[in-house]
Amino acid sequence: MADIFLILHGTGGNKPDHWQEHLAADLSGAGFDVRYPQMPWPAMPVLDTWLETLVEEMAAIPADARLTVLAHSRG
């Protein structure tokens, strides 16, 4: 069973030096499977498109994985 971390950014997207960037790098460096999708139109989120991206991302995660989701603002 794999440990997978799904990090969802919020409005504005992923900015350099944001905590999400550091967390993703630290978890990846420790050998964890990190999923960090870039949501469409981060400055002006559209719920339907963000949900489509999330559904696609979730479909790629094995059913037996231990999933931890970390989200920021609208994420």
Side-chain angles (χ1 to χ4, degrees), residues 24-62:
D26 290 348
L27 289 171
S28 292
F32 290 104
D33 183 347
V34 177
R35 313 292 173 96
Y36 191 22
Q38 305 301 300
M39 301 306 247
W41 307 301
M44 296 179 62
V46 175
L47 180 59
D48 289 343
T49 59
W50 279 40
L51 288 175
E52 285 177 24
T53 301
L54 182 57
V55 166
E56 290 172 10
E57 197 66 38
M58 294 296 294
I61 295 173

Side-chain angles (χ1 to χ4, degrees), residues 1-74:
M1 180 180 330
D3 287 314
I4 297 177
F5 291 85
L6 174 61
I7 301 174
L8 302 172
H9 67 76
T11 302
N14 310 42
K15 296 181 173 110
D17 292 326
H18 200 284
W19 67 264
Q20 301 149 166
E21 299 291 322
H22 296 285
L23 180 61
D26 290 348
L27 289 171
S28 292
F32 290 104
D33 183 347
V34 177
R35 313 292 173 96
Y36 191 22
Q38 305 301 300
M39 301 306 247
W41 307 301
M44 296 179 62
V46 175
L47 180 59
D48 289 343
T49 59
W50 279 40
L51 288 175
E52 285 177 24
T53 301
L54 182 57
V55 166
E56 290 172 10
E57 197 66 38
M58 294 296 294
I61 295 173
D64 65 343
R66 287 186 303 209
L67 177 64
T68 300
V69 178
L70 302 116
H72 180 65
S73 79
R74 290 187 194 227

